[in-house]
Amino acid sequence: MATVLDTKNLANLIGGEWVPAEKSTAVINPATGEEIVQVPLSTKETVDQAVQAAKAAQKEWALVPAPQRAEVLYRVGYLLKENKERLSKLLTMENGKVIEEARGEVQEGIDMAFYMAGEGRRLFGQTTPAELKDKFAMSQRVPVGVVGLITPWNFPIAIATWKSFPAIVAGNAVIWKPATETPIMAYELAKIFEEAGLPKGIVNVVFGSGQEVGDAMVQHEDIRVISFTGSNETGRNIAAECGRHLKKVSLEMGGKNAVIVMEDADLDLAVEGIVWSAFGTSGQRCTACSRVIVHESVKEKLEQKLLTAMEQLTVGNGLDESIKVGPIINKSSIEKINRYIEIGKDEGAKLLAGGYVLNEGEMKDGNYFAPTLFTDAKSDMRIAQEEIFGPVVSLIPVGSFEEAIKVNNSVSYGLSSSIFTKDVNRVFKAQRDLDTGIVYINAGTTGAEIHLPFGGSKGTGNGHRDSGVQALDVYTEWKAVYVDFSGKLQRAQIDVE
Ligand code: NAD
């Protein structure tokens, strides 16, 4: 199937109508530097129009039985499946990730559609004994109303499905602001919602900047939930604003994820796990491995094996099936990565590989960075504490299992961690003591499955989770219902016999 986008100018989707915006900006393919499409830079007035459309539509949608709401998601799942290859290519063009990973990301959306559609026949509440005779007690989930989704560029379709599908099946209407770097997946998913028969106004897409559109969503009194994925700094500001408005806010933010390699580990397997987690998506994943905590007795062996594996990594345009590492999203990210290379050197870490921009030949107009390995890093160095969001990994030698756990937990983030060991006692201690929301045993730090909760502790989040059945908690309120069929007034806690 051809990789075609049916427009050169994206429009907002408001109440089922595609509405062009007055201002727009270019979306650039990070592999080639070419313009792909123009994306609207909308205003706060557009947000308000979308909210009014959503409010009206949501009242009807909430009355549609949940199994019927779910029918739409099943159709969305089949449409994503039919369009998987075309969507994957467009995703690689706007985001840069290599085509194999793009297919994986679209698949995540397909999985999420079928999983959340199943929730249409569950959405379980509780029935529970009442403390009084001839009385019935139950709890049920009810939709919140209009919810706001703010999503980043690094997983432009998967994260949107983690958020929008549970919101929709639970009976809400959605205002979605995608990242301006990657609006094509939003446009394509919105068209799929339309084709699947989602009523007009249930999903509204407003493109634009965080400062204008994102902030207008956070401030809008009729958007009662904000579900945000992005950087820690932005998330903190959003949470503070939501607090002022007594608005529920779910935050999924950065990570400083580590792979621990113990002296008894299968080193070849560990190397595969590290390379995949550190350099997949060019390190631009919230779960990317950016620290390797290695037992000092195997440090040199691991370094050698990593260097050999890194020599095999091909960097280039991700549409080419032979490429393993694609471009970086934009020039300012390249500058940030470069700054961290200098910081690492100044701090005294030893640069073993990479550490420079790639701009020769076919890479000259894109944003490419060489896969980079530091060693002899110390846990308190900035390169071992701060999120770099690029293909840079630092080895931190340690002397024991206990020290490895301590170093892993010494960062302000708490998203994902991993340990390679054959010792079953250490496996169980590690899964208990690693303080992240996701723990992998004998696998890298990436590879979440959609039916499990996704998110992290400490600076990564604020206690909510994306995907999994837990995502429903973000988009529903609990209602407790008591039915007294005694025919007389029975007072709780007082008229108990
Ligand atoms: P970002 O915070 O710059 O932007 C995220 C979204 O927030 C974008 O849509 C942006 O336009 C919007 N935004 C920016 N300023 C805003 C404001 N003042 N008000 C409202 N919205 C605003 O993050 P990014 O650079 O797009 O994404 C990378 C970050 O996302 C990394 O830190 C990464 O770790 C994190 N991330 C986390 C997860 C997770 O689930 N934990 C998943 C993917 C990415």
Side-chain angles (χ1 to χ4, degrees), residues 68-103:
Q68 284 180 34
R69 295 197 294 253
E71 289 287 321
V72 177
L73 286 189
Y74 281 118
R75 289 195 289 275
V76 167
Y78 284 115
L79 286 166
L80 285 170
K81 231 174 143 117
E82 271 171 37
N83 286 280
K84 180 173 171 181
E85 192 57 21
R86 190 178 66 83
L87 292 173
S88 304
K89 285 186 173 143
L90 287 169
L91 171 51
T92 293
M93 284 169 65
E94 69 172 347
N95 164 285
K97 67 179 62 179
V98 299
I99 186 70
E100 190 185 21
E101 290 183 42
R103 290 184 189 119

Side-chain angles (χ1 to χ4, degrees), residues 151 153-154 177 210 228-231 234 252-254 286 387 454:
T151 54
W153 50 264
N154 71 333
K177 191 207 90 62
F228 166 83
T229 297
S231 63
T234 310
E252 296 297 343
M253 301 176 289
C286 49
E387 190 180 46
F454 186 94

Side-chain angles (χ1 to χ4, degrees), residues 426-475:
R426 282 175 172 172
V427 164
F428 276 84
K429 282 182 185 156
Q431 63 86 22
R432 181 192 63 196
D433 296 340
L434 294 169
D435 68 357
T436 50
I438 305 169
V439 170
Y440 292 93
I441 308 294
N442 291 325
T445 53
T446 64
E449 300 183 26
I450 56 92
H451 52 294
L452 279 84
F454 186 94
S457 57
K458 301 193 289 186
T460 295
N462 64 340
H464 293 284
R465 291 293 184 267
D466 269 336
S467 83
V469 72
Q470 291 78 3
L472 290 170
D473 292 338
V474 177
Y475 307 102

Side-chain angles (χ1 to χ4, degrees), residues 178-197:
T180 40
E181 292 89 343
T182 53
I184 297 173
M185 284 302 101
Y187 172 68
E188 293 289 337
L189 184 57
K191 283 202 307 179
I192 284 178
F193 279 131
E194 277 189 317
E195 198 179 337

Side-chain angles (χ1 to χ4, degrees), residues 382-459:
R382 284 183 63 192
I383 55 162
Q385 288 286 327
E386 298 171 17
E387 190 180 46
I388 300 174
F389 229 53
V392 182
V393 66
S394 301
L395 259 61
I396 308 169
V398 292
S400 67
F401 171 76
E402 289 71 25
E403 191 185 349
I405 299 283
K406 200 170 150 204
V407 168
N408 181 83
N409 294 352
S410 72
V411 293
S412 62
Y413 295 105
L415 186 51
S416 178
S417 47
S418 122
I419 181 164
F420 283 84
T421 179
K422 290 181 189 139
D423 180 335
V424 69
N425 293 350
R426 282 175 172 172
V427 164
F428 276 84
K429 282 182 185 156
Q431 63 86 22
R432 181 192 63 196
D433 296 340
L434 294 169
D435 68 357
T436 50
I438 305 169
V439 170
Y440 292 93
I441 308 294
N442 291 325
T445 53
T446 64
E449 300 183 26
I450 56 92
H451 52 294
L452 279 84
F454 186 94
S457 57
K458 301 193 289 186

Side-chain angles (χ1 to χ4, degrees), residues 20 44 60 86 152 160 174 188 224 246 251 254 261 268 340 345-346 348 353 386 396 430 433 435 472 476 478 482 490:
K44 67 176 199 267
E60 299 293 318
R86 190 178 66 83
V174 167
E188 293 289 337
R224 297 311 305 156
L246 288 183
L251 304 172
V261 183
D268 292 319
Y340 274 105
K345 287 187 206 160
D346 290 347
E386 298 171 17
I396 308 169
D433 296 340
D435 68 357
L472 290 170
T476 54
W478 281 106
Y482 302 95
Q490 299 197 89

